[in-house]
C-alpha cells in the first residue's frame, strides 16, 4: 500500500457505527460527514444538540446522524462508552473533550473494554519520497513505557499493519545505539524478544536514517534486514514519537491517520491541530482495524 486513499477503498461501503464524544467540533463533524458520504460509517453524535446543529447549519453539512443530547463532555463520554460496550457502536471517536477525560471513562472496568494490553497511539503516514505507507508509534499515550509496555506498543503496531495487509512487517526500534544510554539495552532486549517471533522482522536500536534510507542500506552501511525498508518505526519515547509523526505531517507534507489500539475497540484520537482530512483518514483506519478484529 502506497497511499491512504487505497486504505479508504478497502472500507468504502462497509459501514460501521461510530460513537462521537462531544461532537460539537467543526473539523470532527466535517470528517464524520465525509466518512458517512463515503459509506464508511453511520454516526451517533453525543453532545450538545443545539451546538451540533448550529455547526452543521453554519458549515452547510449534510449529515444523517442520530444525536444524543448531552451537555457535559464527561457525561457524553459515559454515554458513548456505554454504547460501544453494548455493541451499539463499534468505534469510539474523540471530539471536544480532553484525552485524559475520555480514557478515564473508557478504562473503567464496568464497561469491559480493556483487552489486557497497553493502549497506544498508532499513526499511519503517507510520506512523499518514501516508497510505501509508514507506521509510527507511540507518539500520543504512553509517557514512560517499561519493557512490557514497549512490547505492547509493538504488538499494537503489528495489529494495525496486518489490517493494512502487511502480513510480515519490518519493524525498526529507533535509537542511537549509545551504550552509555540505559535505554539502548532495553531496546536491544526488546529486539531479541521479537526476533524469536516468525510473523515479523524486528531490529534495533536503529537510527532513523538507517531504518528508512534505501541508499544507505544498498551501500552496506548496515546489515540489518530492516534497513531502508521499514514498515513500522517504534519511537524510543512519546516525545520522539510525537515529534517524528508531526514532522512527517507538517514538514514532509505527508498525510496521516491515527488510531488508538490495545482495547477491545479502536478509538479515533486526533488532536485539535489535526485537519479534517487527518480525522477522516483516521476514521477509515479505525473501521479497517475494527473489521479485522471482528
Amino acid at each position: 500500500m502506497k497511499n491512504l486513499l487505497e486504505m479508504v477503498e478497502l472500507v468504502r461501503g462497509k459501514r460501521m457505527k461510530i460513537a462521537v464524544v462531544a461532537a460539537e467540533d467543526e473539523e470532527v463533524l466535517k470528517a464524520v460527514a465525509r466518512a458517512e458520504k463515503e459509506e464508511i460509517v453511520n454516526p451517533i453524535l453525543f453532545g450538545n444538540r443545539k451546538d451540533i446543529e448550529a455547526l452543521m447549519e453554519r458549515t452547510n453539512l449534510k449529515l444523517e446522524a442520530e444525536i444524543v443530547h448531552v451537555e457535559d463532555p464527561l457525561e457524553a463520554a459515559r454515554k458513548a462508552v456505554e454504547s460501544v460496550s453494548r455493541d451499539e457502536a463499534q468505534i469510539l471517536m474523540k471530539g471536544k473533550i480532553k484525552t485524559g477525560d475520555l480514557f478515564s471513562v473508557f478504562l473503567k472496568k464496568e464497561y469491559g473494554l480493556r483487552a489486557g494490553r497497553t493502549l497506544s497511539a498508532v499513526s499511519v503516514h503517507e510520506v512523499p519520497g518514501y516508497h510505501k505507507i509508514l507506521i509510527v508509534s507511540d507518539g500520543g499515550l504512553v509517557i514512560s513505557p517499561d519493557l512490557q509496555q514497549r512490547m505492547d506498543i509493538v504488538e499494537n503496531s503489528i495489529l494495525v499493519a496486518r489490517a493494512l495487509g502487511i502480513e510480515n512487517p519490518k519493524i525498526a526500534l529507533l535509537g542511537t545505539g549509545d551504550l552509555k544510554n540505559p535505554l539502548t539495552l532495553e531496546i536491544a532486549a526488546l529486539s531479541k524478544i521479537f526476533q524469536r517471533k516468525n510473523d515479523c522482522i524486528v531490529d534495533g536500536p536503529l537510527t532513523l536514517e538507517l531504518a528508512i534510507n534505501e541508499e544507505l542500506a544498498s551501500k552496506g552501511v548496515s546489515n540489518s534486514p530492516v534497513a531502508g525498508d521499514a514498515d513500522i518505526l517504534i519511537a524510543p519515547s512519546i516525545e520522539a514519537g510525537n515529534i517524528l509523526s508531526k514532522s512527517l505531517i507538517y514538514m514532509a507534507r505527508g498525510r496521516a491517520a491515527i488510531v488508538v489500539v490495545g482495547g477491545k475497540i479502536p478509538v479515533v484520537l486526533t488532536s485539535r491541530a489535526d485537519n479534517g482530512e487527518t480525522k477522516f483518514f483516521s476514521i477509515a483506519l479505525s473501521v479497517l482495524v475494527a473489521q479485522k478484529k471482528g
Side-chain angles (χ1 to χ4, degrees), residues 260-281:
V260 171
V261 290
K264 289 187 178 178
I265 58 120
V267 181
V268 182
L269 183 72
T270 53
S271 71
R272 296 295 299 276
D274 291 321
N275 61 26
E277 183 178 62
T278 297
K279 289 176 167 64
F280 165 71
F281 283 134

Side-chain angles (χ1 to χ4, degrees), residues 198-210:
N198 58 12
D199 56 356
C200 59
I201 302 168
V202 181
D203 200 10
L206 288 176
T207 59
L208 176 62
E209 67 271 22
L210 283 179

Side-chain angles (χ1 to χ4, degrees), residues 15-252:
R15 292 183 185 270
M16 299 189 85
K17 286 281 187 75
I18 185 168
V20 185
V21 180
E24 51 272 35
D25 179 289
E26 184 174 331
E27 292 299 324
V28 167
L29 287 176
K30 286 179 179 178
V32 171
R34 181 178 173 186
E36 183 190 55
K37 185 178 180 181
E38 298 269 9
E39 299 184 345
I40 295 171
V41 294
N42 289 322
I44 309 171
L45 308 179
F46 294 82
N48 188 299
R49 179 185 296 275
K50 183 179 178 181
D51 291 346
I52 292 169
E53 290 177 344
L55 270 175
M56 289 170 60
E57 183 176 353
R58 179 165 62 82
T59 54
N60 197 30
L61 284 178
K62 299 185 185 299
L63 187 58
E64 295 293 331
E66 177 187 350
I67 300 177
V68 179
H69 176 70
V70 192
E71 295 188 3
D72 178 65
L74 268 176
E75 182 65 11
R78 186 184 67 78
K79 287 185 176 293
V81 169
E82 282 181 353
S83 74
V84 295
S85 71
R86 296 192 296 262
D87 200 32
E88 296 169 357
Q90 294 76 47
I91 300 160
L92 191 68
M93 182 172 187
K94 174 183 176 287
K96 201 172 182 179
I97 184 173
K98 293 178 180 178
T99 298
D101 289 344
L102 176 60
F103 283 107
S104 71
V105 178
F106 181 86
L107 291 172
K108 286 184 177 179
K109 291 182 179 180
E110 62 201 80
Y111 298 119
L113 295 175
R114 297 183 181 189
R117 278 217 304 263
T118 305
L119 296 180
S120 60
V122 181
S123 55
V124 177
H125 297 265
E126 173 189 327
V127 187
Y130 198 62
H131 56 285
K132 57 184 174 180
I133 288 292
L134 188 62
I135 299 168
V136 177
S137 193
D138 170 280
L141 280 185
V142 190
I143 295 173
S144 299
D146 58 25
L147 183 59
Q148 181 58 56
Q149 289 173 318
R150 290 186 191 280
M151 290 174 63
D152 290 345
I153 288 169
V154 175
E155 290 286 6
N156 289 342
S157 300
I158 292 171
L159 184 151
V160 174
R162 291 211 180 107
L164 291 164
I166 308 167
E167 292 301 325
N168 193 28
K170 294 181 178 180
I171 304 168
L173 307 178
L174 298 181
T176 63
D178 182 1
L179 293 177
K180 294 180 181 179
N181 186 346
L183 185 55
T184 296
L185 298 178
E186 190 167 305
I187 294 172
L190 184 62
S191 177
K192 291 297 182 184
I193 290 169
F194 276 93
Q195 282 171 9
R196 300 191 188 105
K197 296 169 67 72
N198 58 12
D199 56 356
C200 59
I201 302 168
V202 181
D203 200 10
L206 288 176
T207 59
L208 176 62
E209 67 271 22
L210 283 179
I212 63 173
N213 192 301
E214 289 181 290
E215 185 178 353
L216 282 177
S218 66
K219 289 179 178 179
V221 176
S222 171
N223 60 2
S224 168
V226 176
D229 194 36
D231 295 294
I232 299 173
L233 303 176
I234 301 296
S237 68
I238 190 171
E239 294 87 358
N242 187 271
I243 291 168
L244 175 56
S245 292
K246 297 302 183 185
S247 296
L248 293 175
I249 297 170
Y250 295 108
M251 297 183 73

